[in-house]
Amino acid sequence: NINEIKKFQIMFMSMGEPFLNYTELKLAIIELHDLYPNADLLVSTSAPSVIYKHIGDFIELSKLIPKVGLQFSVHESTDDNRKKLIPTNTCTLRQISAIGNLWASFVGRKPFYNYCVHDGNCYLNDARRLVNLFDPTVWETTLSVICEKDESVANSIDRQLVMIKDFSTRFIPVNFFFF
């Protein structure tokens, strides 16, 4: 019985942008919370500009259902590089930061941002930009990697784990100094 599981997560992602279908997202969150009260319900968004239309209601929903979480697909440390990866009408990194900070201030939980580490964005300056945008006292960071098509799964996993570990160490000195 799934209700006997103490903690698990249902994530809204890879099924279309949740905030582009907010009415149905809200109904799904309410229904899933009723069915699975132990489930964390994490909404992962690329932050389309329409998010401003719904963020007030989403904050109220998040206050009503404390199992609701919010994650932003940031993936890059600059707006220009992010726009190449996500070529839709999305918020800037500063706007994402402001939305997440607002959400956190009302619900008392940390939002997440996901960052896709690759050879072009794994440097100290990238970490500095991220820490300046996403205050570690407010935000949680999740690091992902991009799977390359020309390597085996085993080689890919080993390389990617090393890349994530190396990049995560760049945050340590940055956390002591905000630039």
Side-chain angles (χ1 to χ4, degrees):
N1 183 349
I2 200 160
N3 288 325
E4 293 175 8
I5 299 172
K6 297 280 186 221
K7 186 173 180 171
F8 66 98
Q9 182 180 60
I10 299 171
M11 193 168 190
F12 295 87
M13 66 173 284
S14 300
M15 55 190 260
E17 169 54 50
F19 280 95
L20 291 179
N21 193 8
Y22 182 73
T23 302
E24 295 301 319
L25 171 68
K26 181 178 178 179
L27 293 173
I29 287 172
I30 293 167
E31 185 171 339
L32 286 168
H33 178 67
D34 289 344
L35 289 170
Y36 310 111
N38 294 336
D40 290 331
L41 304 168
L42 184 62
V43 177
S44 182
T45 178
S46 65
S49 57
V50 71
I51 197 169
Y52 286 109
K53 178 179 174 183
H54 305 295
I55 195 62
D57 190 70
F58 186 72
I59 287 170
E60 292 305 313
L61 179 64
S62 300
K63 287 167 42 180
L64 181 67
I65 302 175
K67 301 296 255 176
V68 172
L70 182 59
Q71 174 175 283
F72 293 90
S73 299
V74 168
H75 303 323
E76 293 286 349
S77 69
T78 68
D79 288 321
D80 287 343
N81 288 341
R82 186 170 187 269
K83 191 71 171 169
K84 291 175 191 170
L85 186 65
I86 306 171
T88 57
N89 189 17
T90 59
C91 296
T92 66
L93 295 172
R94 287 208 181 285
Q95 290 169 326
I96 291 170
S97 175
I99 293 166
N101 290 344
L102 179 70
W103 181 84
S105 73
F106 278 100
V107 304
R109 297 188 295 281
K110 289 184 171 190
F112 291 78
Y113 73 91
N114 182 266
Y115 189 75
C116 288
V117 181
H118 58 79
D119 290 331
N121 71 357
C122 59
Y123 301 101
L124 183 58
N125 283 340
D126 295 299
R128 285 179 177 163
R129 279 192 291 272
L130 292 170
V131 169
N132 283 331
L133 286 164
F134 305 103
D135 179 349
T137 64
V138 177
W139 288 83
E140 295 286 349
T141 305
T142 57
L143 300 176
S144 300
V145 290
I146 298 171
C147 299
E148 302 296 338
K149 63 182 178 186
D150 61 344
E151 62 186 341
S152 71
V153 173
N155 288 344
S156 177
I157 290 170
D158 291 342
R159 179 187 60 79
Q160 293 169 3
L161 288 176
V162 168
M163 186 178 292
I164 284 178
K165 182 179 176 191
D166 288 347
F167 185 65
S168 68
T169 64
R170 288 176 172 78
F171 283 89
I172 295 168
V174 173
N175 281 333
F176 293 110
F177 308 103
F178 284 83
F179 296 91

